[in-house]
Amino acid sequence: MRTFSVICALGLVILGSSWAAGQTARGNPDAGQAVYEKQCLRCHGSKLDGKGPDSQDLIVRPANLQSQASRTKTDWELLVTISNGVLFSPMHGFRGKLTDQQMLDVLSYIRSVVPSETVS
Ligand code: HEC
């Protein structure tokens, strides 16, 4: 019983402090829009459809964030991609370039334009 409560307490601490819990609630979509326009728009486009001005020149086309495939991903999956990037693609990781808060902000901006279709 004791072990159980320790595990519960630990779980709460981890959940409370990690991105995995209610992350979008803590992002600011307005701040995120500014980040998006500066860092992401040239590839992902003003409509988040992957048709930004630079997208034509890329061998791997930027993800269409409006697509079913992106909408059904969890916030966590998208955050990991924003943070780590996609291997062998022009989508490099933004960890170190953006703060954690900015990544949360940009995620909540994306979700404010294209609502999630997951129950995450
Ligand atoms: C140099 C062009 C480029 C820039 C700049 C860029 N991306 Fe990407 N992005 C891509 C490409 C290419 C992919 C991968 C497409 C694939 O996997 O086929 C991608 C994938 C993604 C995905 C994954 C979508 C999914 O459904 O898995 C997310 C989320 C994303 N980008 C968000 C962002 C955000 C947020 C920014 C700005 C902070 C950004 N990207 C900047 C090119 C870019």
Side-chain angles (χ1 to χ4, degrees), residues 4 10 13 27 31 35 45-46 56 60 62-63 71 78-79 81 85-86 92 96-97 100 104-107 111 113 119:
F4 178 69
L10 207 71
V13 171
V35 174
S46 55
Q56 300 299 321
V60 179
R71 274 184 289 150
L78 297 185
L79 260 182
T81 303
V86 177
H92 59 83
K97 200 161 180 203
D100 289 358
L104 285 176
D105 291 346
V106 83
L107 176 74
R111 289 306 200 193
V113 179
V119 281

Side-chain angles (χ1 to χ4, degrees), residues 39-95:
Q39 307 280 355
C40 326
L41 189 148
R42 67 187 177 91
C43 289
H44 290 283
S46 55
K47 299 199 185 87
L48 282 65
D49 55 3
K51 298 200 179 110
D54 284 2
S55 63
Q56 300 299 321
D57 306 329
L58 300 173
I59 297 169
V60 179
R61 291 291 162 86
N64 173 359
L65 301 173
Q66 301 269 7
S67 69
Q68 182 83 9
S70 292
R71 274 184 289 150
T72 49
K73 285 191 178 121
T74 62
D75 290 353
W76 174 249
E77 285 173 302
L78 297 185
L79 260 182
V80 168
T81 303
I82 296 168
S83 174
N84 294 354
V86 177
L87 208 60
F88 304 121
S89 94
M91 176 74 195
H92 59 83
F94 283 87
R95 193 195 298 128

